Amino acid sequence: MRPGAAGTGWRRAALGAVILLAALLPARAAEEPIEIFDAHLHYNWEPKPYYALDEVLALFKKNRVTGILATSRPNTGTHALVEAKAEGLWVVPFLRPYRVRPDIQTWFNDPAIFDLIEQEYRRGYYRGIGEFHLSGQAAASPWVKKTVDFAVKHDLYLHAHADDVAIDILMRHNPRARIIWAHTGFGLAPARVAEMLATYPQLWGELSYRSGITGEGGRLTPEWRDLFARYPDRFLLGSDTWIAERWASYGDIIAGYRGWLKQLPPETAAKIAHGNARRLFAGQ
Ligand SMILES: [Zn+2]
């Protein structure tokens, strides 16, 4: 044995370990994408869901979706998700005020829907009411006011697919309302979104179908980068699986969010991806 051979071997082994570690680290980071809370999920059940329960649970796991704001039409799908008690999935059930699709057009003037809300609420696990649709003055109906008051009384959030006029009316019905704004007004100018968030501290924007967040090459636009910097605590992500096509592209939708989340400071990205939901629904 030559003098020093053992030392060289040791150095070589150490160097090998460093190279191995360097090779493993990025791989591990790639395996653990940022966890996502999906704050706009419909598990519709009319008469059968697009994916069976075990398939949908596998889909969440595959995409590292660790929490969902669960709704369905009728509420059967939400019951199934709650009752599944799936490991690694936090289900935040919202009561949907719809029995069938046409209810979207009429629920705000329909006393039978308010009965549905009161009855369904007795299940005891709901954290909100929605998603429901309102445009402009439709929000001014007495049945909508009753729904908002019911939500405030029972400490429930509202999940509103609404224009800014309807949001104003909802907040006027009861200034203690807490509203998750589905789609954050779709194409509403970012300056107007900022104005709404400043006016209503209990308004949170959910970002499915929201246009203008990214531009060329998937880069965040300056307007939205600025909004996220100013209001990091006020945004949530959602898939809006309202039709089969959205389920079929679920992985792409979630990957699309991760594409722009990584352009934000990690702390802001973590809030939007899951932290804000945890704060709202678990008080953490
Ligand atoms: Zn929806």
Side-chain angles (χ1 to χ4, degrees), residues 37 90 127 157 178 201 203-204 231-236 270-272 274-284:
F37 183 94
W90 176 36
R127 302 298 314 279
Y157 290 88
R178 291 180 298 171
L203 179 69
W204 292 269
Y231 296 103
D233 300 329
R234 307 288 291 281
F235 290 100
L236 302 160
K271 283 181 172 184
I272 295 171
H274 56 260
N276 292 339
R278 205 159 279 157
R279 192 167 42 79
L280 290 185
F281 305 123
Q284 290 170 4

Side-chain angles (χ1 to χ4, degrees), residues 25-238:
L25 278 175
R28 172 163 289 189
E31 279 165 23
E32 288 279 311
I34 191 165
E35 65 179 284
I36 301 277
F37 183 94
D38 183 345
H40 191 146
L41 188 105
H42 303 297
Y43 189 41
N44 291 336
W45 200 284
E46 6 178 63
K48 279 182 110 179
Y50 180 68
Y51 281 130
L53 189 60
D54 57 339
E55 291 171 306
V56 88
L57 296 175
L59 191 68
F60 296 142
K61 192 160 271 182
K62 184 176 166 205
N63 289 284
R64 205 167 181 230
V65 169
T66 55
I68 53 172
L69 189 164
T71 79
S72 70
R73 186 183 62 233
N75 286 293
T76 324
T78 303
H79 305 162
L81 287 168
V82 170
E83 285 153 21
K85 294 188 170 64
E87 199 195 317
L89 182 71
W90 176 36
V91 179
V92 178
F94 270 42
L95 192 169
R96 196 111 207 254
Y98 300 157
R99 300 152 301 187
V100 289
R101 187 163 167 75
D103 283 337
I104 292 176
Q105 310 292 336
T106 52
W107 76 275
F108 43 86
N109 278 321
D110 186 349
I113 294 296
F114 192 73
D115 290 344
L116 162 78
I117 292 170
E118 284 185 314
Q119 242 166 53
E120 187 65 24
Y121 175 72
R122 291 190 196 129
R123 285 182 184 271
Y125 51 56
Y126 286 107
R127 302 298 314 279
I129 300 173
E131 176 201 21
F132 53 74
H133 298 69
L134 285 172
S135 170
Q137 293 302 318
S141 108
W143 293 103
V144 173
K145 160 113 177 103
K146 277 168 88 77
T147 303
V148 177
D149 288 340
F150 184 91
V152 169
K153 183 178 167 196
H154 296 286
D155 206 18
L156 300 169
Y157 290 88
L158 296 166
H159 190 195
H161 171 136
D163 54 18
D164 50 345
V165 176
I167 295 286
D168 282 335
I169 296 170
L170 289 172
M171 289 296 195
R172 234 178 294 143
H173 281 323
N174 193 325
R176 287 167 59 208
R178 291 180 298 171
I179 302 178
I180 293 159
W181 192 6
H183 321 295
T184 318
F186 287 103
L188 204 67
R192 179 71 181 130
V193 171
E195 198 174 67
M196 293 292 282
L197 293 176
T199 306
Y200 304 116
Q202 305 209 105
L203 179 69
W204 292 269
E206 178 276 316
L207 296 168
S208 60
Y209 284 105
R210 174 60 235 204
S211 67
I213 298 176
T214 55
E216 213 174 312
R219 299 292 302 166
L220 275 172
T221 57
E223 294 83 5
W224 277 87
R225 192 181 281 278
D226 180 52
L227 262 181
F228 293 143
R230 284 170 69 193
Y231 296 103
D233 300 329
R234 307 288 291 281
F235 290 100
L236 302 160
L237 306 176

